[in-house]
């Protein structure tokens, strides 16, 4: 899955957040977020989930066109494991996300 970097920056700006404020809310280094926004660093799933939450955008907004329709195979199981390890699996927003992902595979 590739992140649409322009939409990531746009989502942050639409929330009226500076890169420093966003980094603080996501609990990460400002330089690390800058590197992600500018395509110099990979985005970890945990960070992606935090950004979705802070920026209040669905994952489909932040991925490149056509990316959300590629086969996702074991990625759903991987995401479930991450959510379980972070004790987030029962939160309704993540349940909705998992349900949407599972429906894409059908």
């Amino acid at each position: 899955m590739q992140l649409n970097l322009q939409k990531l920056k746009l989502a942050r700006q639409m929330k009226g957040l500076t890169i420093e404020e966003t980094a603080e809310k996501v609990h990460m280094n400002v330089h690390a977020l800058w590197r992600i926004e500018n395509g110099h660093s990979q985005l970890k799933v945990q960070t992606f989930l935090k950004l979705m939450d802070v920026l209040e955008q669905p994952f489909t907004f932040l991925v490149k066109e056509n990316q959300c329709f590629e086969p996702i195979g074991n990625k759903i199981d991987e995401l479930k494991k991450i959510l379980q390890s972070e004790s987030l699996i029962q939160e309704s927003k993540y349940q909705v996300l998992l349900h949407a992902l599972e429906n894409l595979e059908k």
Side-chain angles (χ1 to χ4, degrees), residues 44-66:
K44 294 179 181 178
V45 175
Q46 294 93 332
T47 306
F48 179 72
L49 292 172
K50 289 177 185 177
L51 281 169
M52 279 181 18
D53 191 36
V54 166
L55 300 176
E56 297 178 332
Q57 293 294 334
F59 84 101
T60 53
F61 179 81
L62 297 175
V63 295
K64 286 194 174 186
E65 304 300 324
N66 301 322

Side-chain angles (χ1 to χ4, degrees), residues 74-90:
N74 295 332
K75 295 296 181 183
I76 294 172
D77 291 333
E78 184 180 326
L79 179 57
K80 285 180 183 177
K81 288 177 186 174
I82 291 168
L83 291 173
Q84 286 172 335
S85 71
E86 298 286 327
S87 301
L88 299 171
I89 193 75
Q90 296 303 320

Side-chain angles (χ1 to χ4, degrees), residues 21-38:
E21 292 167 332
T22 305
E24 183 178 326
K25 289 178 181 285
V26 178
H27 305 290
M28 66 185 303
N29 179 284
V30 174
H31 185 69
L33 182 56
W34 180 90
R35 290 182 53 78
I36 290 168
E37 278 193 359
N38 290 282

Side-chain angles (χ1 to χ4, degrees), residues 8 13 27 43 47 58 63 68 76 80 82 85 91 98-99 104:
L8 173 62
Q13 292 168 341
H27 305 290
L43 180 62
T47 306
V63 295
C68 57
I76 294 172
K80 285 180 183 177
I82 291 168
S85 71
E91 288 190 28
L98 288 171
H99 181 71
L104 286 175

